[in-house]
């Protein structure tokens, strides 16, 4: 004769309630933060790197570089934000900076100042993409810029004619 084990029955009921509860917690509202996975039919366009433009040269400064990005668009109703990558190679294997959830700027453009200056003597590659929490758009085209050391020109130092009490010129016409 077998006796039912009440503990096992209670565990099964709790598991069923938890699974059903988890499923009902997912929102059908596309603007709710609990949407899991991509929302069908939502397309996000790629943003476009504007400044510094491809192949630009920036002179090293104690001020971090400012990036200008043309915003992405979406067919969805959720708010977009940008993700940014800056690397020392075009394949982004050597990232020097990465940011997530950069708020879109007004008038279709976003200005973003890096938190620290980039080292001189290197070429940097950058790209960006947009996301809405459920969908991620494609990366922008890759743009690059170089950071060069500043050129320092010292004040000239006179070397001739030598200083003496009397200096005489043999001619009034300068010669090389």
């Amino acid at each position: 004769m077998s006796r039912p084990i009440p503990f096992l029955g209670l565990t099964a009921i709790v598991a069923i309630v938890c699974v059903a509860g988890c499923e009902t917690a997912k929102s059908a509202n596309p603007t709710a933060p609990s949407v899991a996975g991509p929302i069908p039919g939502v397309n996000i366009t790629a943003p476009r790197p504007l400044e510094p433009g491809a192949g630009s040269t920036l002179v090293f400064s104690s001020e971090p570089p400012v990036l200008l990005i043309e915003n992405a668009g979406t067919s969805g109703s959720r708010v977009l934000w940008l993700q940014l990558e800056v690397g020392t190679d075009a394949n982004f294997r050597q990232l020097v900076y990465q940011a997530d959830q950069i708020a879109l700027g007004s008038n279709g453009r976003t200005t973003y100042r890096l938190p620290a200056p980039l080292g001189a003597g290197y070429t940097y590659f950058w790209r960006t993409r947009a996301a809405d929490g459920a969908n991620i758009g494609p990366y922008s085209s890759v743009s690059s810029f170089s950071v060069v050391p500043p050129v320092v020109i010292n004040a000239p130092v006179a070397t001739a004619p030598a200083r003496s009490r009397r200096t005489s010129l043999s001619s009034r016409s300068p010669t090389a």
Side-chain angles (χ1 to χ4, degrees):
M1 175 184 231
S2 70
R3 291 187 347 190
I5 303 173
F7 180 72
L8 208 51
L10 182 60
T11 303
I13 292 171
V14 169
I16 291 169
V17 169
C18 284
V19 169
C22 289
E23 290 302 313
T24 59
K26 302 291 183 212
S27 174
N29 178 356
T31 61
S34 61
V35 173
I39 300 170
V42 172
N43 293 312
I44 298 175
T45 63
R48 194 168 66 117
L50 298 174
E51 293 176 8
S56 295
T57 301
L58 304 179
V59 177
F60 176 80
S61 164
S62 61
E63 292 293 317
V66 175
L67 306 177
L68 180 62
I69 304 155
E70 184 177 286
N71 293 343
T74 182
S75 62
S77 57
R78 295 173 64 100
V79 175
L80 292 178
W81 66 78
L82 295 175
Q83 297 173 332
L84 170 70
E85 293 181 338
V86 179
T88 56
D89 65 295
N91 295 320
F92 298 91
R93 291 189 190 115
Q94 296 289 330
L95 291 179
V96 294
Y97 183 73
Q98 189 172 13
D100 193 20
Q101 296 192 356
I102 300 168
L104 294 183
S106 60
N107 298 325
R109 293 183 172 190
T110 299
T111 301
Y112 184 76
R113 181 179 296 277
L114 295 178
L118 296 172
Y122 298 97
T123 297
Y124 296 94
F125 299 86
W126 68 287
R127 67 183 180 181
T128 184
R129 67 180 176 181
D132 67 5
N135 301 284
I136 298 173
Y139 276 109
S140 67
S141 59
V142 175
S143 192
S144 66
F145 61 93
S146 297
V147 177
V148 297
V151 175
V152 177
I153 301 175
N154 295 321
V157 176
T159 58
R163 290 200 155 204
S164 68
R165 289 203 262 179
R166 288 186 103 192
T167 303
S168 61
L169 299 174
S170 60
S171 163
R172 290 181 182 235
S173 301
T175 58

